[in-house]
mmCIF file of all heavy atoms in Angstrom:
data_model
loop_
_atom_site.group_PDB
_atom_site.id
_atom_site.type_symbol
_atom_site.label_atom_id
_atom_site.label_comp_id
_atom_site.label_asym_id
_atom_site.label_seq_id
_atom_site.Cartn_x
_atom_site.Cartn_y
_atom_site.Cartn_z
ATOM 1 N N LYS U 351 92.662 83.608 99.965
ATOM 2 C CA LYS U 351 94.143 83.673 100.017
ATOM 3 C C LYS U 351 94.655 84.817 99.125
ATOM 4 O O LYS U 351 93.896 85.422 98.317
ATOM 5 C CB LYS U 351 94.746 82.368 99.517
ATOM 6 C CG LYS U 351 94.290 81.144 100.292
ATOM 7 C CD LYS U 351 95.000 81.052 101.625
ATOM 8 C CE LYS U 351 94.518 79.807 102.392
ATOM 9 N NZ LYS U 351 95.240 79.621 103.648
ATOM 10 N N VAL U 352 95.939 85.088 99.284
ATOM 11 C CA VAL U 352 96.631 86.004 98.367
ATOM 12 C C VAL U 352 97.800 85.222 97.808
ATOM 13 O O VAL U 352 98.571 84.588 98.531
ATOM 14 C CB VAL U 352 97.146 87.241 99.091
ATOM 15 C CG1 VAL U 352 97.960 88.143 98.135
ATOM 16 C CG2 VAL U 352 96.027 88.038 99.730
ATOM 17 N N CYS U 353 97.941 85.263 96.488
ATOM 18 C CA CYS U 353 99.054 84.628 95.815
ATOM 19 C C CYS U 353 100.250 85.559 95.926
ATOM 20 O O CYS U 353 100.174 86.734 95.578
ATOM 21 C CB CYS U 353 98.714 84.381 94.351
ATOM 22 S SG CYS U 353 100.109 83.866 93.343
ATOM 23 N N LEU U 354 101.367 85.051 96.432
ATOM 24 C CA LEU U 354 102.596 85.832 96.554
ATOM 25 C C LEU U 354 103.671 85.201 95.648
ATOM 26 O O LEU U 354 103.960 83.993 95.771
ATOM 27 C CB LEU U 354 103.160 85.810 97.993
ATOM 28 C CG LEU U 354 102.779 86.948 98.883
ATOM 29 C CD1 LEU U 354 101.312 86.944 99.225
ATOM 30 C CD2 LEU U 354 103.605 86.894 100.179
ATOM 31 N N LEU U 355 104.233 86.032 94.799
ATOM 32 C CA LEU U 355 105.329 85.537 93.963
ATOM 33 C C LEU U 355 106.517 86.477 94.202
ATOM 34 O O LEU U 355 106.352 87.707 94.223
ATOM 35 C CB LEU U 355 105.023 85.620 92.483
ATOM 36 C CG LEU U 355 104.051 84.637 91.855
ATOM 37 C CD1 LEU U 355 104.117 84.812 90.316
ATOM 38 C CD2 LEU U 355 104.355 83.217 92.220
ATOM 39 N N SER U 356 107.674 85.884 94.350
ATOM 40 C CA SER U 356 108.872 86.713 94.473
ATOM 41 C C SER U 356 109.798 86.313 93.330
ATOM 42 O O SER U 356 110.145 85.161 93.180
ATOM 43 C CB SER U 356 109.522 86.478 95.808
ATOM 44 O OG SER U 356 110.622 87.297 95.968
ATOM 45 N N VAL U 357 110.146 87.285 92.523
ATOM 46 C CA VAL U 357 110.972 87.016 91.337
ATOM 47 C C VAL U 357 112.392 87.525 91.639
ATOM 48 O O VAL U 357 112.570 88.679 92.062
ATOM 49 C CB VAL U 357 110.426 87.793 90.110
ATOM 50 C CG1 VAL U 357 111.275 87.488 88.881
ATOM 51 C CG2 VAL U 357 108.961 87.414 89.850
ATOM 52 N N SER U 358 113.359 86.670 91.423
ATOM 53 C CA SER U 358 114.753 87.102 91.645
ATOM 54 C C SER U 358 115.626 86.412 90.635
ATOM 55 O O SER U 358 115.161 85.563 89.860
ATOM 56 C CB SER U 358 115.206 86.751 93.069
ATOM 57 O OG SER U 358 115.395 85.313 93.178
ATOM 58 N N SER U 359 116.903 86.803 90.614
ATOM 59 C CA SER U 359 117.814 86.209 89.638
ATOM 60 C C SER U 359 117.942 84.699 89.855
ATOM 61 O O SER U 359 118.240 83.941 88.923
ATOM 62 C CB SER U 359 119.194 86.890 89.766
ATOM 63 O OG SER U 359 119.601 86.832 91.108
ATOM 64 N N SER U 360 117.652 84.246 91.062
ATOM 65 C CA SER U 360 117.737 82.807 91.297
ATOM 66 C C SER U 360 116.456 82.079 91.001
ATOM 67 O O SER U 360 116.353 80.832 91.185
ATOM 68 C CB SER U 360 118.161 82.563 92.771
ATOM 69 O OG SER U 360 117.234 83.175 93.644
ATOM 70 N N GLY U 361 115.432 82.776 90.544
ATOM 71 C CA GLY U 361 114.204 82.106 90.097
ATOM 72 C C GLY U 361 112.974 82.668 90.779
ATOM 73 O O GLY U 361 112.902 83.844 91.122
ATOM 74 N N LEU U 362 112.008 81.776 90.982
ATOM 75 C CA LEU U 362 110.668 82.193 91.410
ATOM 76 C C LEU U 362 110.329 81.536 92.719
ATOM 77 O O LEU U 362 110.550 80.326 92.917
ATOM 78 C CB LEU U 362 109.690 81.754 90.335
ATOM 79 C CG LEU U 362 108.253 82.096 90.445
ATOM 80 C CD1 LEU U 362 108.057 83.585 90.205
ATOM 81 C CD2 LEU U 362 107.406 81.323 89.426
ATOM 82 N N THR U 363 109.795 82.304 93.693
ATOM 83 C CA THR U 363 109.245 81.700 94.924
ATOM 84 C C THR U 363 107.753 82.013 94.908
ATOM 85 O O THR U 363 107.338 83.141 94.676
ATOM 86 C CB THR U 363 109.908 82.336 96.157
ATOM 87 O OG1 THR U 363 111.318 82.244 96.024
ATOM 88 C CG2 THR U 363 109.475 81.608 97.431
ATOM 89 N N GLU U 364 106.969 80.940 95.181
ATOM 90 C CA GLU U 364 105.507 81.080 95.133
ATOM 91 C C GLU U 364 104.932 80.609 96.461
ATOM 92 O O GLU U 364 105.328 79.577 96.988
ATOM 93 C CB GLU U 364 104.995 80.173 93.988
ATOM 94 C CG GLU U 364 103.467 80.150 93.842
ATOM 95 C CD GLU U 364 103.046 79.129 92.747
ATOM 96 O OE1 GLU U 364 103.821 78.881 91.797
ATOM 97 O OE2 GLU U 364 101.943 78.615 92.866
ATOM 98 N N SER U 365 104.014 81.411 96.971
ATOM 99 C CA SER U 365 103.378 81.038 98.254
ATOM 100 C C SER U 365 101.969 81.645 98.319
ATOM 101 O O SER U 365 101.657 82.561 97.546
ATOM 102 C CB SER U 365 104.255 81.548 99.414
ATOM 103 O OG SER U 365 103.718 81.176 100.648
ATOM 104 N N TYR U 366 101.163 81.119 99.241
ATOM 105 C CA TYR U 366 99.804 81.632 99.413
ATOM 106 C C TYR U 366 99.568 82.063 100.851
ATOM 107 O O TYR U 366 99.879 81.296 101.770
ATOM 108 C CB TYR U 366 98.778 80.576 98.958
ATOM 109 C CG TYR U 366 98.910 80.402 97.478
ATOM 110 C CD1 TYR U 366 99.934 79.566 96.947
ATOM 111 C CD2 TYR U 366 98.187 81.159 96.605
ATOM 112 C CE1 TYR U 366 100.153 79.493 95.582
ATOM 113 C CE2 TYR U 366 98.396 81.087 95.212
ATOM 114 C CZ TYR U 366 99.382 80.251 94.717
ATOM 115 O OH TYR U 366 99.602 80.181 93.372
ATOM 116 N N LEU U 367 99.151 83.303 101.010
ATOM 117 C CA LEU U 367 99.012 83.928 102.313
ATOM 118 C C LEU U 367 97.572 83.894 102.807
ATOM 119 O O LEU U 367 96.639 84.179 102.058
ATOM 120 C CB LEU U 367 99.520 85.388 102.190
ATOM 121 C CG LEU U 367 99.311 86.313 103.393
ATOM 122 C CD1 LEU U 367 100.174 85.860 104.555
ATOM 123 C CD2 LEU U 367 99.632 87.752 103.005
ATOM 124 N N SER U 368 97.412 83.634 104.094
ATOM 125 C CA SER U 368 96.093 83.635 104.722
ATOM 126 C C SER U 368 95.771 85.001 105.289
ATOM 127 O O SER U 368 96.588 85.927 105.206
ATOM 128 C CB SER U 368 96.070 82.580 105.828
ATOM 129 O OG SER U 368 96.488 81.323 105.351
ATOM 130 N N GLY U 369 94.623 85.132 105.924
ATOM 131 C CA GLY U 369 94.257 86.385 106.611
ATOM 132 C C GLY U 369 93.203 87.185 105.888
ATOM 133 O O GLY U 369 92.424 86.629 105.088
ATOM 134 N N SER U 370 93.163 88.451 106.157
ATOM 135 C CA SER U 370 92.121 89.280 105.535
ATOM 136 C C SER U 370 92.646 90.227 104.429
ATOM 137 O O SER U 370 91.903 91.017 103.891
ATOM 138 C CB SER U 370 91.424 90.153 106.626
ATOM 139 O OG SER U 370 92.347 91.093 107.145
ATOM 140 N N LEU U 371 93.939 90.068 104.121
ATOM 141 C CA LEU U 371 94.508 90.978 103.081
ATOM 142 C C LEU U 371 93.758 90.789 101.749
ATOM 143 O O LEU U 371 93.518 91.754 101.008
ATOM 144 C CB LEU U 371 95.993 90.686 102.872
ATOM 145 C CG LEU U 371 96.671 91.550 101.799
ATOM 146 C CD1 LEU U 371 96.701 93.002 102.253
ATOM 147 C CD2 LEU U 371 98.061 91.068 101.491
ATOM 148 N N SER U 372 93.356 89.538 101.441
ATOM 149 C CA SER U 372 92.679 89.277 100.151
ATOM 150 C C SER U 372 91.396 90.121 100.078
ATOM 151 O O SER U 372 91.129 90.779 99.060
ATOM 152 C CB SER U 372 92.339 87.801 100.054
ATOM 153 O OG SER U 372 91.579 87.374 101.187
ATOM 154 N N LEU U 373 90.628 90.110 101.129
ATOM 155 C CA LEU U 373 89.348 90.860 101.149
ATOM 156 C C LEU U 373 89.606 92.355 101.013
ATOM 157 O O LEU U 373 88.891 93.056 100.242
ATOM 158 C CB LEU U 373 88.625 90.581 102.461
ATOM 159 C CG LEU U 373 87.234 91.196 102.642
ATOM 160 C CD1 LEU U 373 86.208 90.521 101.705
ATOM 161 C CD2 LEU U 373 86.749 91.063 104.082
ATOM 162 N N MET U 374 90.626 92.861 101.694
ATOM 163 C CA MET U 374 90.895 94.280 101.629
ATOM 164 C C MET U 374 91.420 94.715 100.237
ATOM 165 O O MET U 374 91.065 95.767 99.752
ATOM 166 C CB MET U 374 91.889 94.694 102.745
ATOM 167 C CG MET U 374 91.384 94.429 104.129
ATOM 168 S SD MET U 374 89.715 95.039 104.435
ATOM 169 C CE MET U 374 89.154 93.989 105.757
ATOM 170 N N LEU U 375 92.223 93.870 99.625
ATOM 171 C CA LEU U 375 92.666 94.187 98.278
ATOM 172 C C LEU U 375 91.478 94.279 97.328
ATOM 173 O O LEU U 375 91.381 95.163 96.502
ATOM 174 C CB LEU U 375 93.678 93.142 97.764
ATOM 175 C CG LEU U 375 95.130 93.259 98.334
ATOM 176 C CD1 LEU U 375 95.938 92.022 97.993
ATOM 177 C CD2 LEU U 375 95.838 94.502 97.793
ATOM 178 N N ARG U 376 90.543 93.316 97.453
ATOM 179 C CA ARG U 376 89.357 93.325 96.592
ATOM 180 C C ARG U 376 88.581 94.623 96.736
ATOM 181 O O ARG U 376 88.232 95.267 95.744
ATOM 182 C CB ARG U 376 88.480 92.112 96.921
ATOM 183 C CG ARG U 376 87.062 92.190 96.373
ATOM 184 C CD ARG U 376 87.032 92.261 94.845
ATOM 185 N NE ARG U 376 87.547 91.063 94.234
ATOM 186 C CZ ARG U 376 88.269 91.008 93.112
ATOM 187 N NH1 ARG U 376 88.554 92.140 92.464
ATOM 188 N NH2 ARG U 376 88.710 89.848 92.601
ATOM 189 N N PHE U 377 88.337 95.021 97.991
ATOM 190 C CA PHE U 377 87.547 96.209 98.224
ATOM 191 C C PHE U 377 88.350 97.520 98.159
ATOM 192 O O PHE U 377 87.800 98.569 98.369
ATOM 193 C CB PHE U 377 86.710 96.061 99.505
ATOM 194 C CG PHE U 377 85.552 95.157 99.319
ATOM 195 C CD1 PHE U 377 85.666 93.792 99.645
ATOM 196 C CD2 PHE U 377 84.368 95.614 98.767
ATOM 197 C CE1 PHE U 377 84.640 92.930 99.447
ATOM 198 C CE2 PHE U 377 83.287 94.717 98.551
ATOM 199 C CZ PHE U 377 83.432 93.391 98.869
#
Side-chain angles (χ1 to χ4, degrees):
Chain U
K351 302 283 180 176
V352 177
C353 170
L354 264 69
L355 288 189
S356 182
V357 181
S358 71
S359 52
S360 57
L362 184 71
T363 307
E364 178 184 333
S365 182
Y366 293 83
L367 171 68
S368 307
S370 66
L371 181 67
S372 56
L373 183 70
M374 299 310 156
L375 283 168
R376 165 60 65 215
F377 285 94

